[in-house]
Structure formats: C-alpha cells, structure tokens
Amino acid sequence: MKVSIEWLRDFTDINVNLSTLADKLTRTGTKVETISVTGSNFSGIYVGQIEEITPHTNSEHLRVCQVNMGNSTRLQIVTAAENVFVGAKVPVAVDGAVLADGTKIKNTELRGVLSQGMFCSVAETGYNSKVYPEAVPSAVWILEPTTELGITMQNYMGLGDEILDFEITSNRPDCLSVEGLARETAITLKKTFTPLPYNEVIGTLTDKSSNYLTVCNRAETGCLRYCGRVVKNVKIAPSPAWMRRRLAALGITPINNIVDITNYVMLEIGQPMHAFDLRDIEGKEINIRYAVNGEKLQTLDGVARTLTDKMLLICDAVKPLALAGVMGGENSEIKADTTSIFFEAANFDPDTVRHQAAACHLRTEASGRFDKAVDPDTAVRGLNRALELVEQLGIGEVVSETLQIKPAPFSLPSTTFTLKDINSYLGTTITADFVRDILQQLGCQVTEEQEKFTVTPPNWRRDLLCMADYAEEAARFYGYDNIPSSMPKSQIAGGYTAKQLYERQIKNVCVALGFYEMMTLSFESPNTFAKLGFTDQRRLQQVTISNAPTETSCLRTDMLPACLRVISSNVNQFNDSGKLFELANCYYNIPDAEGLPSYESKLIAAIFSNDAQAKAGSMFYELKNLLQETAETLGIKPERFTYQPLADLPMYHPYRSAYVHLDGNKIGTIAYVDKQVLKSFGIKCEVAVMEIKAGSLTEQATFARKQQPISRFPGYSLDLAFEMDLSEPVGNLLDVIKQNANSYLSKVDVFDVYSGERVARGKKSVAINLLYRHPERTLKEEDVKDNIAEIIKKAEEKSYTLRA
C-alpha cells in the first residue's frame, strides 16, 4: 500500500523527515518497504519558449529552433516534431538530463547542426495523458501559455510529493487506506489524529433514488451491506489535477472523474466502490444473487468469464452487471456520454470474494480489501464521501434517498484483562494510563472496574481477539527495544538436530570456499523440466498448486532452472563471474507413507565464468573439490565417491559431465551446462553445476573423527601431465595413481585440463600435482622416484601418455 505524505497530512501533522518517519513506523509494526519522491525518475527537464523556427539546411524533416530558457539563457534545439510553433512553451531536456527511461541527453550534431538538448513529450517524464490530459501522447508537450520560464518540469507537474510504500499484513485491512495509516502515524508521532468527517449528503429533495431503482438482496450470507444512490446530470470529464496526481502517486491510473472518485474513496478510507451507467440497468432493479452455473459475464478487463453457482453477482432484472467485490462488467461501465449513474458501496463476505477472485484468476484492488474483511460501517460512509466529492467537483446532481438493504447488526466481542496480565506477558512495567491511552487512540472502547480493563475493539480491528493481541498493541507503541531481555522460563532444552547441524556444516564449507548462498522460490512452470530435456519420470512428477498462475503452478523437482535464472540476472547486471550455492527442498508427486507428496533436500552449487580456465574445464574440478571438502567435513572419506560418464541428459555438456556415486549409489551430477540451454536463459558465459542429494550425505555423516598429527616436515611435491582421450573421465587416471601410490602420497590434485593445438586431435592434457609427506622426516627424491616410475608405467599401460 502506497501513501503520500501530502495525503497523510489531511489527517495528522507530520514534523519529521521521510527517513525518520519510515523508521519510526517500521518500529511500531507498520513496515515501510520503500521511500520515494514523485518526479525523481527524471531530471534536467525545464520549461522553455520557442522564439524562432528555421528549416534545417541538410534535412527536409528537421527544423532548428531557438529557445528562450529564462534568465537570458538561449538554446538551439533541432527537432522533427510537427506540433511545435513560435511562442510555444515546451519541456526541454538540456545537456546532462536523464529521462524517465534512463536515457541520458547530451549536446550533439544532427546533420551538421548543433542541438543542445531535445523537446519532450509527456512519456519522457514517465507519465501519460491519463494523468496530464492536456498532453498529446506521441507529440511534444505544449504547456500552458502562462507557465514561468526556466522552472523544472517537476514544479510544473506538481511533483515532489514524498511516497511511503508499506508492507501490510493480512490481519490489518484497516491499513489498506490513507486514513488507517494516518491513525498509525499519529499514534507513532504522538500527534492528534483527525478522522475524515462524516457528512451525510442530502441531495435534491425533489427527486428520489427509488424513482429509478429498487434493491433486492437474495444472497444474505454473501452480501452483508449494500447501499446506493443515483446521480443525474453527470458531466464526464478528466478529474481535477490534484486528484489525478494523488491517484497516480499511489499507483492508480486516472480514468475519468466518476471512476476516479470511486478509486479515491477506496484509497482514502478503504471502502471499494463501483459506479454503473443507469441507462444500462434493465428493469429498474438491482438484484444481489448467486450465479447460475454456466452464466457469462464480460468484465471490465475484456475477459468473458464463465460463472459457477458459488459466485456472487450484482445484477439487474435481466443480466449480471458485476462480479461482486471483484470487478464490474463491460455492459454497464461509465462511458463518455454517460449522464446518469448509480453509485454502489457494499460489504461482502470475505471468503466468498476470496474464492471467486481465485477461481477467475482475477485479483483487484477491491478484492484485495474485501477478502481481508472491510469494516461494514464504511459502506454508507464511503457512499456519502463519494457523493460529497461529486458535489465538491460540481460534476452531477445527487438525488435524495439512499437505497440500502436492511443492515445486519455487527460488533466485535469484548476482552477483559488486568494490567498485571499485560506486564506479566510482556515482562514490562507499563502503566495503566499508557495502556488505556494507546487503546483509545486505536479506536477501542475501554472501561475500567476493580483494576480490570474491559476492551471492545472498533469494527475495523477484527484482529483484536484476546489479551495477547492487546498486549501486542501496547508493546509496539511502548517500543520493543524498551522491553528488557530475559531468558525463557521453559525447562525444555533446545538445539539443532543432527541433520540440521550437518546441513549447517555443508553451508559453512561452501562459504569457506568462496560460494555465495542464494535463496530461490520453490515454484516452477509445468513445462520447465521437459523443455530442458529431463526425461526421467521422477523429475516430471510435479506437484500442482491450486489457483496459481501458469508460470508458477508447480513445485520444483530440480533446482537447475532457478539457479540459471539467478546466474542470468547476475550476468545481465554485468557480474560475469561468481560462485553460488543453495541447500533446499525439491518436491515430487509421489506419495509417501502418509499419502502426501514426497520431498528431498538437495545441494546445488554453480560456478559461472568466461576465463580461459573455465573454458578448459577447470570449473568441473573445482566443484568436485567442493564435494570432497564437504565429504571430509562430514566425516565421509572421498574414496567412497566414484564418478561415471553422463550421456543421457541433453542439458549438460557431452563429456564435461559425470554422475556422482556414493558407495555405488547415484546421488547427483557434476556437469557443464549445454550452450543451447545457457542461450535460452540469456547467459553468455560458461556455467558448471553440481547437484547432490543432501540427504545422502547427511545420512552417512558422522561427528566421530580420528585425529592424525600434522607432520612437522615439509612435503615433496611434483607435477605430472598425461595425455588421454578427450571423452574419457579424468577420474580413471586418478584411480590408477591412487591404486599404485605408496603410503607417503598424501594428496592428489588436478590443476589443469587442456585441449587444443598443443595436443593431438581428440586428446586432452591433464596436469596433476602429487604431494608426498613423511610423518617423521623430510622426504628426498630417492624416497619417491621409484613410486613415481611405477605410477607412470601403470598409467602408460592404460594408454595415458606422459607429456614432457
């Protein structure tokens, strides 16, 4: 929910800057997501006046304009615009200006003539002709003749309002309005809150709404409140500038004065409204009823909806007019020639609105409020506010008499507690005066008797159900940072399970080796894995999510697509190398013992780079090293891992890939990603990924360790390079070395793999470092040369040729 400081000031005084206000509101539980200023998306655009226009000597389409920018400043602008004329005042983007789309303007020559900027349309400011109707959408914006020269376009457009964007939790629908947020602001800043006054509009006494319509509610469980009023002699036109600016600042596109009033009331006090063209209401009836299965309604978004008997409608005597609480129909929308309207304000059952919005995949500003339970009392109040604006703007004649169904009584239950209950619960020493004052400012009715508080919440606070809820209200305005710290009184011992400890160790190893943790969503498109080339049935057994958008309608069975999207985002932001990992769950539509979908924890690690070593295959071995380091940290000997060529997954490189086995059981893959797959994600560098079943590691992990003393003596290190077939796994060569090594060999590392002009076609060179170490003395060449000769001999017997 966005709200402007200008609008908040209609309800309370604000005497702090934007950052301070955002911090204070966040600390009292009304979280501010972002802060911004309208008009800050462009700069360097000023008002100028064209004084002379001459033809361009080298172009039939261009003209050269001399522009007065005020303060004796003159600029020369070359333009192709056809609607400019001598004397016109226009927006001029000068040298160094930045347009709303990020384009930077600088002096340049066009066909040999210097242009010191450009004329702007309304689009260059990031706005449109809905907000500024005087601007022609695709032409230079001709400004008012009385506009002062040299002022910024922000000044001309009335921008500069400060905007707070709040994260509103689902239990606080009262904060989905400027008035509700103003109440929170006033209490936070210890200022007076002035609610919007309730002014009942009398209207024209010589005419009545009942002369035009009757209202019948045939769905009493779905429609809790309904009221409406007729307005005649309506003049459809753009709303005044102040209203258009306020709506646009909060993300609502202005349409016309009547529709804008309904949106304005919704934002101001949280009451969604709708307006019908009176001539489209057949039979002079408004019927609130449930739909008939198969009934049709084309909503304002142009989509024909097929309805079910669980969907609530607003209808006339013949046809549906609106999907209640969600969206109106095209058959009764406000048009340019509308002269009489019927304003409605209602309150609908939250579950009904939620279900029909989900069934139609149609979430609107109205449904987002109704499905969280709007205060029933705001229906009549909202209607009167809309009628008040009609009269204030002079755009129609309000007819007397409000049509409404008999309102069912509505009130929330009271809660009784003591001050001791509050302080014991919070661990504080808050006073009775403080608790009483805060609750009354929130709109609660508070009575005290024999040290007991009996509190009745206002109808807009359905979340206040018990003592703990009132304690929370007191705590957030008292200040969570003022509550003293204390240890829990529970005797239950906490701590991590063995599995959680092992997973923390896995993450620590990844971070220690330079990998950054990523966190991705578990949702995927149903076609993702098939498109990537996964053919195994396990990955294609996706769990489908009800009422979800198609692109995220399933739970993931593999982490590769999400990982590639993260890499693509990094590459597009010019971060062309990095290391990432994630430890998370994948889900399968394969029933477990309880008949529920099964899941398993997986570790994915990825490296992306475009340097020479990455292209040569080094990232494969870096990921293999990560696996070995992780295994050793978990107490699993690296010798228990074996690697086999991977040839049945087309999303991976044909020979820079391998299946990973632990004690003969397949637990994952290490592979370079295929170029075509990378191209489909917009990635132009090399990417290697390791995906391992984390459960297979944690099940074999142990905290038991056998310590060995670190040798005080230096090791003996040497490098060997062997030539082998390009498609053969390097692991085969490593197996030969390890099987024929003596007891002094402590470490074997692959540090380079090369294929190119210096080796035979179809071959690759693998460079390996061998480290020998003796626990009690320094090794000499004589101690290892026989073993090295044996290793070379056995390697050559396997057709691995030693390179000089």
Side-chain angles (χ1 to χ4, degrees), residues 59-117:
S59 172
E60 295 181 359
H61 304 291
L62 298 177
R63 293 187 287 174
V64 181
C65 302
Q66 304 302 321
V67 184
N68 178 8
M69 300 299 296
N71 296 326
S72 302
T73 302
R74 298 291 186 274
L75 295 179
Q76 179 172 280
I77 307 293
V78 179
T79 182
E82 298 179 355
N83 68 320
V84 295
F85 54 88
V86 173
K89 290 184 177 178
V90 294
V92 182
V94 302
D95 184 39
V98 179
L99 307 184
D101 63 0
T103 302
K104 295 182 179 179
I105 303 301
K106 59 182 180 180
N107 294 343
T108 187
E109 287 193 1
L110 297 176
R111 299 282 184 96
V113 177
L114 176 65
S115 182
Q116 296 172 293

Side-chain angles (χ1 to χ4, degrees), residues 387-575:
L387 299 174
E388 183 182 33
L389 288 169
V390 167
E391 292 190 339
Q392 180 182 328
L393 302 182
I395 59 174
E397 184 179 342
V398 178
V399 174
S400 67
E401 186 185 23
T402 297
L403 301 178
Q404 58 182 316
I405 61 173
K406 183 179 180 180
F410 181 86
S411 62
L412 296 173
S414 301
T415 302
T416 300
F417 53 85
T418 66
L419 180 64
K420 183 179 179 181
D421 294 333
I422 294 285
N423 282 323
S424 177
Y425 189 80
L426 297 176
T428 57
T429 55
I430 299 174
T431 66
D433 289 342
F434 179 85
V435 174
R436 183 192 317 107
D437 184 51
I438 289 298
L439 296 181
Q440 287 177 343
Q441 289 184 65
L442 289 168
C444 300
Q445 295 180 4
V446 182
T447 59
E448 293 178 68
E449 185 177 350
Q450 297 180 349
E451 298 184 355
K452 288 185 178 181
F453 289 100
T454 299
V455 184
T456 304
N459 287 348
W460 61 81
R461 289 300 304 271
R462 299 193 191 190
D463 58 309
L464 300 179
L465 302 174
C466 61
M467 184 277 297
D469 295 326
Y470 294 104
E472 180 183 4
E473 296 304 299
R476 64 193 185 95
F477 291 108
Y478 177 73
Y480 292 115
D481 51 343
N482 293 324
I483 299 176
S485 300
S486 60
M487 294 298 292
K489 296 180 181 179
S490 173
Q491 300 301 312
I492 300 174
Y496 295 105
T497 65
K499 178 176 178 292
Q500 290 171 327
L501 289 171
Y502 290 138
E503 289 181 346
R504 287 167 69 87
Q505 287 183 317
I506 292 172
K507 291 183 178 182
N508 288 340
V509 172
C510 292
V511 172
L513 293 179
F515 287 76
Y516 287 85
E517 185 173 10
M518 57 183 173
M519 299 179 70
T520 60
L521 296 176
S522 300
F523 309 118
E524 279 292 350
S525 166
N527 301 320
T528 297
F529 301 109
K531 286 181 180 178
L532 284 176
F534 287 111
T535 56
D536 60 301
Q537 288 302 308
R538 185 171 176 80
R539 280 191 178 93
L540 299 179
Q541 293 290 325
Q542 293 174 276
V543 178
T544 303
I545 304 168
S546 299
N547 300 321
T550 303
E551 62 273 12
T552 55
S553 62
C554 294
L555 292 177
R556 66 182 173 199
T557 56
D558 194 277
M559 300 171 73
L560 179 62
C563 178
L564 292 179
R565 284 194 291 270
V566 172
I567 293 174
S568 176
S569 177
N570 275 269
V571 171
N572 291 335
Q573 297 296 323
F574 306 103
N575 182 19

Side-chain angles (χ1 to χ4, degrees), residues 31 35 46 129 149 164 229 294 304 343 348 373 450 479 558 602 611 635 654 664 684 712 754 762 771 775 796:
K31 183 182 177 183
I35 58 177
Y46 301 90
S129 56
L149 291 180
L164 295 172
R229 196 101 164 246
F343 267 129
F348 302 108
Q450 297 180 349
D558 194 277
K602 284 191 176 184
D611 61 21
K684 298 181 180 179
R712 297 184 294 108
Y754 170 76
L771 179 65
E796 290 181 337

